[in-house]
Amino acid sequence: MQKADFIWMDGKLVPWADANVHVLTHGLHYGTGVFEGIRAYDCGNGTSAVFRLHDHVRRLFNSAKILGLKMPLTEAEVEKGIVDTLVANRLPAGYIRPLTFVGDGEMGVFPGRNPVRTIIATWPWGTYLGPEALDAGIRVRISSFARIHANTLMSKAKAAGNYVNSVLAKNEAIQDGYDEAIMLDTNGFVSEGSGENLFIVRHGIIKTTPLTSVLDGITRDSVITLAREAGYEVQEQLFTRDELYCADEAFFSGTAAEITPIRECDGRVIGAGKAGPVAKKLQELFFNAAKGNNPAHKDWLTAYSF
Ligand code: PPE
């Protein structure tokens, strides 16, 4: 990965190499942490903007609430920390990773009175699923691992421990020569990717998994909003893997993945086998909004410059 100069730790900017924790950090042993993935985009003319900063920070606090972690900071402090880190690192565009975790102190499952700590890292990050992915689309497999059930781990929390499920699915997909995995829920309906929400298009209608077994993705919400504004019908409905196989288009949405078309699933070519017209249109609308070219969605952007 490309390093930056500073990482924000519990309210202070420290040099990247000094942003360390003890090996008995509770979150390292038990997955007791919650995080965010946020992007900042270059808007031209020396200005940049963080995309949907308030929504991401709100979700971080909701994730902490779901895990029962007491946040020692306010939302405003985390938002300021994010902008300060981008500015200190002189990053006109990049990825932002806030992480709140249970620190070291006592060992054992019970987090007890261990400190709850927060870091914010930023770094340049290009396309998540390869440079060709946004145009050519990617190849996916249905995972042999089911997406976590809501009574096991809760998918609305972007919790560190939840990602073991994603890592298992992603490793399996890569080992088998695919780019990404799609998990089914425990009832067999299509759920989401290891780090993305999923959309399909059939007969001009856009469909996405309802929020029961998936992360409440902020890109998902942006896609739904932009698609409806552009006149598309969007349904939040369960669907099965055979409906995905027969879709005219399928694509992932996510902060890291942005809008990544899926060209093949389990050896079946999806639609034309490349980015379809709906995915291309939504990519255009999404990047326009993220880069400050859609006056109707300026409220999604937190501008900064350095
Ligand atoms: N589902 C999962 C499981 C998920 O991890 C993400 C984001 C999404 C859906 C999309 O949510 P949103 O980013 O709010 O649109 N995954 C993050 C982590 C990726 C990583 O490899 O790390 C991300 O995209 O930042």
Side-chain angles (χ1 to χ4, degrees):
M1 72 184 295
Q2 244 183 294
K3 291 181 184 159
D5 293 337
F6 297 102
I7 288 182
W8 188 99
M9 275 188 108
D10 301 317
K12 284 193 202 69
L13 287 162
V14 300
W16 178 285
D18 299 341
N20 302 312
V21 293
H22 196 270
V23 289
L24 294 184
T25 293
H26 196 275
L28 207 50
H29 293 250
Y30 308 110
T32 43
V34 294
F35 70 93
E36 271 305 315
I38 313 174
R39 270 192 194 266
Y41 288 91
D42 192 335
C43 301
N45 298 323
T47 62
S48 297
V50 184
F51 187 65
R52 300 193 67 171
L53 177 62
H54 308 306
D55 297 309
H56 280 284
V57 171
R58 187 91 278 276
R59 189 173 65 184
L60 181 73
F61 278 68
N62 277 333
S63 295
K65 182 183 207 173
I66 293 170
L67 255 70
L69 296 185
K70 202 166 161 4
M71 289 291 291
L73 300 157
T74 63
E75 289 185 32
E77 285 168 331
V78 175
E79 288 186 19
K80 181 174 181 305
I82 288 169
V83 173
D84 288 351
T85 312
L86 286 165
V87 170
N89 286 326
R90 305 184 68 77
L91 274 182
Y95 189 79
I96 304 150
R97 169 57 54 83
L99 167 71
T100 294
F101 59 96
V102 181
D104 59 306
E106 295 300 318
M107 285 304 275
V109 168
F110 181 56
R113 282 194 287 275
N114 287 15
V116 175
R117 307 187 59 188
T118 299
I119 65 99
I120 300 163
T122 64
W123 63 87
W125 210 3
T127 47
Y128 184 58
L129 293 155
E132 275 88 53
L134 298 187
D135 286 321
I138 59 164
R139 297 175 57 250
V140 304
R141 65 161 284 172
I142 300 289
S143 182
S144 72
F145 296 99
R147 186 68 181 132
I148 48 178
H149 185 272
N151 286 342
T152 306
L153 289 164
M154 293 169 276
S155 68
K156 301 294 169 299
K158 204 166 165 61
N162 287 6
Y163 279 82
V164 176
N165 179 231
S166 290
V167 169
L168 291 170
K170 181 86 183 192
N171 276 348
E172 179 189 58
I174 300 291
Q175 269 164 21
D176 289 354
Y178 296 90
D179 303 306
E180 184 54 286
I182 290 176
M183 288 174 278
L184 305 180
D185 67 20
T186 48
N187 293 317
F189 292 102
V190 173
S191 175
E192 63 181 337
S194 72
E196 310 89 355
N197 292 111
L198 177 66
F199 287 81
I200 58 171
V201 185
R202 280 192 86 196
H203 313 305
I205 295 172
I206 301 173
K207 205 184 259 196
T208 191
T209 321
L211 291 176
T212 41
S213 71
V214 303
L215 184 72
D216 189 353
I218 290 164
T219 321
R220 175 188 182 278
D221 180 72
S222 309
V223 166
I224 293 173
T225 302
L226 293 168
R228 287 191 176 138
E229 282 171 7
Y232 292 105
E233 180 178 342
V234 185
Q235 301 173 344
E236 293 179 68
Q237 250 176 40
L238 290 173
F239 56 92
T240 51
R241 68 197 281 179
D242 45 359
E243 190 168 342
L244 165 62
Y245 292 159
C246 300
D248 301 324
E249 293 185 39
F251 57 89
F252 281 130
S253 73
T255 298
E258 296 164 321
I259 296 173
T260 301
I262 296 166
R263 71 165 193 270
E264 191 190 302
C265 180
D266 295 342
R268 281 101 171 154
V269 173
I270 309 284
K274 59 178 187 193
V278 178
K280 290 305 286 177
K281 181 74 196 163
L282 290 168
Q283 283 176 344
E284 182 197 321
L285 293 170
F286 174 76
F287 287 123
N288 270 342
K291 293 176 182 174
N293 298 325
N294 182 341
H297 290 298
K298 289 271 190 212
D299 59 322
W300 282 351
L301 306 183
T302 301
Y304 68 95
S305 53
F306 48 86

